[in-house]
Each structure stands twice: as C-alpha cells, then as structure tokens.
Amino acid sequence: MSEMDEDAVLSDVEGDEETLQGGGAGRGEKVCVLTQETISQGLSLLCRTGNGLGHAFVKLELKDKGLNDIAAISNYVHIRFLDVSNNHLIDLSPLTSLTQLLWLKVDNNAVACFKGQPFAHLTYLQWLSMAVNRLTDLDGLVGPALESLNLSGNGIQKLNGLQGGCFANLVTLELRGNQLDTTDGINLPNLRQLYLAQNAIKRLEGLDRLERLTILHLRDNQLETLDGLSPNMKCLKYLNVRGNVILDEKALQCLMLVSKTLQALVLSDNPLVEMVDYRLSVLIVLPQLERLDKDPVSPEETFEARERIKELKEEEISGQ
C-alpha cells in the first residue's frame, strides 16, 4: 500500500464516522418540477460532442433545487456529469436517454428501487453515488462500466445482484450505514475496496470470491469472530474491524489466512484489545504488519515478535 493510499484510508477510518441515515431530502423545502430555465442555469463545461460534429455543455448541476420531477432532462443527451443530489426524486427513468453519462450523483433523494433498470443503457457510466436514499435491495441495478458505486445510508438488507457479469469493472463499493447482517452476496472478483461500516454484520461470508480486494472496512458492526477470512484474499492490505465485539484471542488465528499481504490492521474498540500483551499477540500472528490500530509497528516490536515466534517453534519441536 502506498503512503498516499494508506493515509487516505486511515484519515477516513480513524476519524469519527459520519452517521448515515436514509430517507431523502428535507421535507420542509419547496417541491418543484425541473424547467428549461433551471437547466440553463446549471449547465457548464462546453465540449465537443461524441460524434465530433459539434459542441455542447456536458456538465449539469441540479442539487438543492427541491425537484421531484426531472422529465425535462431527457432531451439533454450530451450530458456527461450530472448532480441531482439533495432533491425529492423517486423516479430516475428520465435518465435512460442520457447515454453519454460518465458521472452521476443522486445522494439524498427518495429513490426506493431500480424499477425499469434506469441505468441499463448508460454504458459509459463509471461513477455512481446514491447515498442516503430509500433503497432496500439492489434488484434492477446494472452498471457494466461502473468503477465506483456508493450506496451508503440506505436500508439495504440483502446483497442480491452484485455479480461480476453485471459489474465487471467495479473497483470501489461503499455500503456503509445499511442493514446488512452478512457479507454474503458480493461476487465481484475485480473489486479492490469494500466499505461496510455501520451495518449489523455478524458473519463474514463469501469473501473467498474477492481475490483482488485490498481494503476491507468493517468498522462498527457486530462481529464476534473473524471466521470467514479466506486465503483466496491474496491482495488484502488493509483490514478495519474497529468497534465490533471480538473477544476471543482465537479470532487472531483467522488473520493468519491473510498474513502474507496484510499491512495495516485496526482492532481498537474491541474487548480483545484489553488482553495482556495485545500488540505482541497480534504481531506473532502477523509479523509482516506495518501498522496496528493508529500506531505504526516499531522495529523493536517486530523484533520481539519474531523472537517469540522462534521460541514457540522451538517449544513445539522439543515437545514432539
């Protein structure tokens, strides 16, 4: 993990997590229909059109407009970057004609489902954020070109439909602040970063499919064990299970399955950290570790752990 990547992850993880609550925009605002005048005011970024025969504005910002109807947007087929966050939207079907979309933000609306597969024809869409809506499942969601998907702060209870065939290019998936009780259902072999903080996860399941995952973020869940980590996770560098209920030292043994690649581990705010020689016990299992909780592993700690490993091996041999 590069220094930049690690700092980015740690700044997100070690600070206070923002509490995500689904439900859409504030109900005290004026609700209105999208007009041509509002569209004209939000257009920017003049670029050559896809066919190269003309020019058009390709960026449209419509956030905080109190919108509950965006039917008028369907004629603006050259839009590539669209922000309709902080409105009252339920129906996203007008977006189906915007086939040039690359970037779409629909945060803080009232979308409850993906009825009619509104993104099925958006074959260039690479970045999609639908945080803080009213989603409970993922039926109808497809994104063949998506690289980043944010569904945080909804009410999603089950991860159905997250298959590699529909999301072959997905690299980053954010599902913080939902109602998941398991990690099962994520069949995305190309996924690199998975954020599942602030759910109700009790079981680690299906992780053996995530062979390219480098970051797994599980802070503030209900894990009692780390059973479910898999040796198939051959690229995992960062694991955060802060704020769970991991008590038994035996949970550390599961970390041996990812010990060859894991560089940073966050276990703070678990009962386990109250044990005597906590850091040493972790480093005996993970001698390659570079950072434990908020502190880097010192050379002295690494040396002590390696010496202890030698002693344990000698004791094992002499006992045979």
Side-chain angles (χ1 to χ4, degrees):
M1 185 184 300
S2 69
E3 183 176 347
M4 180 181 298
D5 289 341
E6 182 174 323
D7 288 344
V9 172
L10 290 173
S11 64
D12 170 66
V13 170
E14 293 301 334
D16 292 334
E17 289 273 356
E18 177 183 1
T19 300
L20 298 165
Q21 297 178 347
R27 292 296 169 258
E29 302 173 7
K30 180 181 177 182
V31 177
C32 59
V33 174
L34 181 62
T35 64
Q36 298 296 332
E37 180 181 2
T38 302
I39 292 176
S40 297
Q41 293 172 350
L43 286 170
S44 63
L45 193 59
L46 186 65
C47 292
R48 187 178 296 274
T49 56
N51 58 18
L53 301 178
H55 290 79
F57 290 106
V58 300
K59 183 177 180 180
L60 178 56
E61 184 173 306
L62 296 172
K63 65 180 181 180
D64 297 306
K65 301 297 184 183
L67 300 171
N68 68 347
D69 186 331
I70 55 171
I73 205 174
S74 60
N75 294 324
Y76 290 78
V77 296
H78 299 295
I79 297 297
R80 300 174 192 171
F81 307 93
L82 175 62
D83 186 350
V84 290
S85 56
N86 302 338
N87 285 290
H88 304 266
L89 301 179
I90 296 174
D91 180 17
L92 299 181
S93 61
L95 301 180
T96 57
S97 62
L98 306 187
T99 56
Q100 301 300 306
L101 270 179
L102 300 172
W103 188 97
L104 175 60
K105 188 174 184 179
V106 198
D107 293 356
N108 201 26
N109 277 276
V111 180
C113 66
F114 298 104
K115 183 179 179 181
Q117 295 189 339
F119 307 133
H121 299 291
L122 308 185
T123 55
Y124 299 111
L125 186 63
Q126 298 173 15
W127 191 95
L128 172 62
S129 182
M130 294 193 61
V132 195
N133 275 272
R134 297 180 179 178
L135 299 168
T136 57
D137 61 53
L138 305 182
D139 290 339
L141 176 61
V142 293
L146 274 180
E147 297 178 5
S148 178
L149 174 61
N150 185 357
L151 298 170
S152 298
N154 282 277
I156 299 170
Q157 301 176 10
K158 184 179 180 181
L159 297 176
N160 53 313
L162 285 176
Q163 307 297 319
C166 297
F167 300 94
N169 294 303
L170 196 62
V171 173
T172 302
L173 176 60
E174 299 203 33
L175 286 159
R176 314 169 199 247
N178 280 281
Q179 299 176 22
L180 301 171
D181 63 4
T182 176
T183 57
D184 197 27
I186 305 175
N187 188 8
L188 300 170
N190 291 319
L191 195 67
R192 306 292 200 281
Q193 302 172 356
L194 177 58
Y195 299 93
L196 293 167
Q198 297 178 335
N199 277 275
I201 296 173
K202 299 178 180 178
R203 303 182 307 280
L204 300 181
E205 299 174 307
L207 297 180
D208 57 308
R209 308 184 190 106
L210 307 181
E211 297 184 4
R212 298 187 180 182
L213 197 68
T214 61
I215 296 174
L216 178 56
H217 190 299
L218 288 158
R219 177 176 173 176
D220 295 334
N221 279 283
Q222 299 175 21
L223 293 170
E224 297 180 3
T225 176
L226 295 176
D227 289 343
L229 293 178
S230 169
N232 288 350
M233 304 170 76
K234 300 175 183 178
C235 299
L236 190 65
K237 296 182 179 180
Y238 180 91
L239 174 63
N240 187 323
V241 289
R242 177 178 179 177
N244 281 269
V245 286
I246 301 171
L247 174 63
D248 195 338
E249 185 179 356
K250 293 180 180 178
L252 297 180
Q253 300 304 312
C254 298
L255 293 170
M256 296 182 68
L257 299 173
V258 293
S259 63
K260 292 182 179 180
T261 58
L262 198 65
Q263 297 176 4
L265 173 66
V266 183
L267 271 169
S268 54
D269 296 335
N270 279 280
L272 178 66
V273 304
E274 302 300 327
M275 64 182 287
V276 177
D277 293 330
Y278 154 67
R279 289 180 67 89
L280 177 60
S281 297
V282 173
L283 293 174
I284 289 172
V285 177
L286 299 170
Q288 310 291 334
L289 206 62
E290 298 176 8
R291 181 183 290 268
L292 177 57
D293 298 328
K294 64 181 180 180
D295 298 317
V297 175
S298 68
E300 292 78 14
E301 286 180 310
T302 300
F303 177 79
E304 183 180 2
R306 293 186 185 279
E307 288 298 305
R308 181 57 181 150
I309 290 171
K310 291 180 182 178
E311 293 175 5
L312 291 173
K313 288 182 177 178
E314 291 173 358
E315 291 174 5
E316 182 180 352
I317 293 173
S318 63
Q320 290 180 350

